[in-house]
Structure formats: C-alpha cells, structure tokens
Amino acid sequence: MSFGAQVRLVLVMALWASCFPLIAVGLELAPHLAFAALRAATGGIALIGVSLVLRRPMPKDAGAWGMIVLLALGATSLGFLGMFHGAAFLSPGLATLIFSTQPLVAAVLGRMFLGERLTARGAFGLVLGFTGVAIASWPQLTSPSASLYLTGAGFVIAAAAGTAVGNVVMKRISQSVDAATAVGWSLTLGAIPLAIASAATEDIAIAWSSEFVAALAVLSLFGTALAFWLWFEALKSAPLSAANAFSFLVPVFALALGGVFFGERVGFPEIAGAGLIIAGVAMAQRQTA
C-alpha cells in the first residue's frame, strides 16, 4: 500500500471518529431518524452531483444495482439507525469505541464472502478485541443506568454489523462501479427507509439553527460523503483486511475528541479497553493471506 493511500486512510478514520460527537450535537435539535435520513440524503445527493459533474458512469446491470441496494440497506439504513439511536444512550467516545468492533465483524465476513483466511492469530485477535470492549464497558455495566447502556450498545453493535456488511459489498464492487456513483446512490437510497420510519414514528420538529445546520453539513459532507468516497477508492487497490486495519485509529481519535470537546472522563478501563481493541483489530486484520 502506497504512502498516499495510508495518509488517505488515516484521514478517513479521523473523519469517522468525528461522527458520533457531531451526531450528539444534532440529536439535541432533531429527532433521531429524521437527522439520520437528512445526513444520508445530504451526503448522497452531494456525491451524485459530483459524479454527474465529473461525468462518471452509472451502473448498467441489475447485479451492480442489487449490490448498491444491499450497501444502502446495510451501511446506510441499518448503520445510521444504530449509530443515531445508540448515540442517544452513550457518550460519543464510548459509542465510537464499541463501534470499533466493526473490523472484527468484517474479518469474519471477509472469510466467508471474500475468501480471506482467518488463522489462529486472527481468531485470537477477535477474542482480544471483544475483551477490550467488555473492559471499556465495565463502568457502565455496573452503573445504575446499565440497562440504558445495554440498549445503546445494542444499537451501536447493529450499526457495526450493517457497516461491516457494507464494507464487504464495497470491496466486491470496487473494481466495477465508480466510487462516487456507488456511494452517492447507496446513501440516497438508504435514506428512504430512514425517512419512512421517521415519518411513521417521530414528531418531526427540527430546530433549524446555525448550530444544527453546521453539524449536519460537516457530518454529511465530510464525515459521510468525503469519508466514504475516500474509503471506497482505497478498497480498489487494498485488501479489505489491510484497509480495515486502520480502523483501530478511530477509537483513539474518538476518545481524544470526547475528552477535549465533551469533557468525557477517560479512565483506566477505557484506556485499557482501547488498547486491547487496537491490538485485537491489528492482529485480526494483519493475519489474512
């Protein structure tokens, strides 16, 4: 992998780490699913516009569109639903820490659908990573609000699973479909179930303040459209396992952002858990052949 590709992947992880703090800001001003749908639609329409300006080709066969729909339902609809609901119960740093199990799920899916071999070292990495999540989560599991924490963790784990499925789909179609086109349509199509669910279950009252517009713009255009576009481009030349190894940087960035901007307490369990997750993800992703 070239140095330039590595720099782009580090940038992607920094952008993704900013998502949960921005979601936390926006949820104070808009319902969960409405905000999620706006994020997906704004980022998707922006990328479709870019692809049209650059004259990028549209997918021509039903198989490619089927994979884009699967990407939309997994990474966008399920992924965003889990992220936005989970952020209502968890601090941004802890939510991102739990979401960092996504590469571990992707390692299993990569073995099943991409033929990437999982060795004993990789299996140990999976166990180590989930152990890290348990240690980092221990203070919340033993607190009076443990039931709320478990609810939030369940949503975030669902988001991680949806994103992992999306990553496998992206890798499968990365050589045959333009990145901006595929990501743009997957975000736009994935916004539709979110919007329908929002209309059916929420009182859609959005405070269109400058704070909300700024959070939505940064989250949609940079944390979503740009990040997913760069990620898709990276998968054209790098194995999913090698690219996903960079995901271990996300909890590190997230804990730093949570401590600096949200006053989150970062104690020994969080630090120890993050260290084990980093080690587990690195082992699980570097072992593929």
Side-chain angles (χ1 to χ4, degrees):
M1 188 185 302
S2 68
F3 177 74
Q6 295 179 35
V7 170
R8 287 194 295 273
L9 285 171
V10 171
L11 175 60
V12 169
M13 302 312 150
L15 291 170
W16 279 343
S18 71
C19 287
F20 276 109
L22 290 169
I23 290 171
V25 171
L27 288 181
E28 297 292 328
L29 304 166
H32 299 63
L33 296 176
F35 188 23
L38 283 172
R39 173 195 178 183
T42 303
I45 292 171
L47 272 182
I48 291 173
V50 169
S51 68
L52 291 174
V53 170
L54 297 178
R55 299 180 182 276
R56 298 295 175 84
M58 290 287 174
K60 295 181 174 59
D61 60 275
W65 279 109
M67 297 297 278
I68 289 174
V69 170
L70 181 58
L71 176 59
L73 295 176
T76 303
S77 298
L78 179 58
F80 286 13
L81 182 148
M83 286 182 197
F84 281 71
H85 276 314
F89 298 95
L90 304 173
S91 66
L94 187 58
T96 311
L97 190 65
I98 296 173
F99 187 75
S100 67
T101 57
Q102 180 276 134
L104 306 178
V105 179
V108 176
L109 295 178
R111 173 66 181 89
M112 295 171 62
F113 298 104
L114 300 176
E116 295 183 345
R117 186 168 58 91
L118 186 66
T119 65
R121 177 180 177 180
F124 180 72
L126 299 180
V127 174
L128 198 63
F130 283 111
T131 301
V133 172
I135 292 175
S137 304
W138 184 251
Q140 281 69 33
L141 289 173
T142 56
S143 71
S145 59
S147 61
L148 293 178
Y149 167 77
L150 289 172
T151 300
F155 278 120
V156 174
I157 290 171
T163 302
V165 170
N167 284 336
V168 172
V169 172
M170 282 191 198
K171 182 58 184 176
R172 289 284 296 269
I173 65 176
S174 62
Q175 300 299 324
S176 59
V177 180
D178 175 72
T181 301
V183 175
W185 279 106
S186 70
L187 289 170
T188 304
L189 294 174
I192 296 174
L194 295 171
I196 293 173
S198 175
T201 62
E202 295 178 332
D203 178 14
I204 306 176
I206 300 174
W208 289 98
S209 63
S210 58
E211 182 182 16
F212 177 75
V213 172
L216 176 62
V218 175
L219 178 63
S220 301
L221 301 179
F222 295 96
T224 305
L226 178 60
F228 277 99
W229 188 7
L230 292 174
W231 175 249
F232 196 104
E233 288 285 358
L235 292 181
K236 288 184 177 181
S237 57
L240 176 59
S241 57
N244 233 347
F246 283 81
S247 295
F248 75 81
L249 292 173
V250 174
V252 178
F253 286 132
L255 288 174
L257 288 171
V260 172
F261 294 105
F262 291 87
E264 291 186 39
R265 176 186 173 275
V266 181
F268 177 75
E270 289 81 8
I271 294 173
L276 288 176
I277 289 173
I278 289 171
V281 170
M283 291 183 69
Q285 300 305 314
R286 291 181 62 186
Q287 55 74 46
T288 53

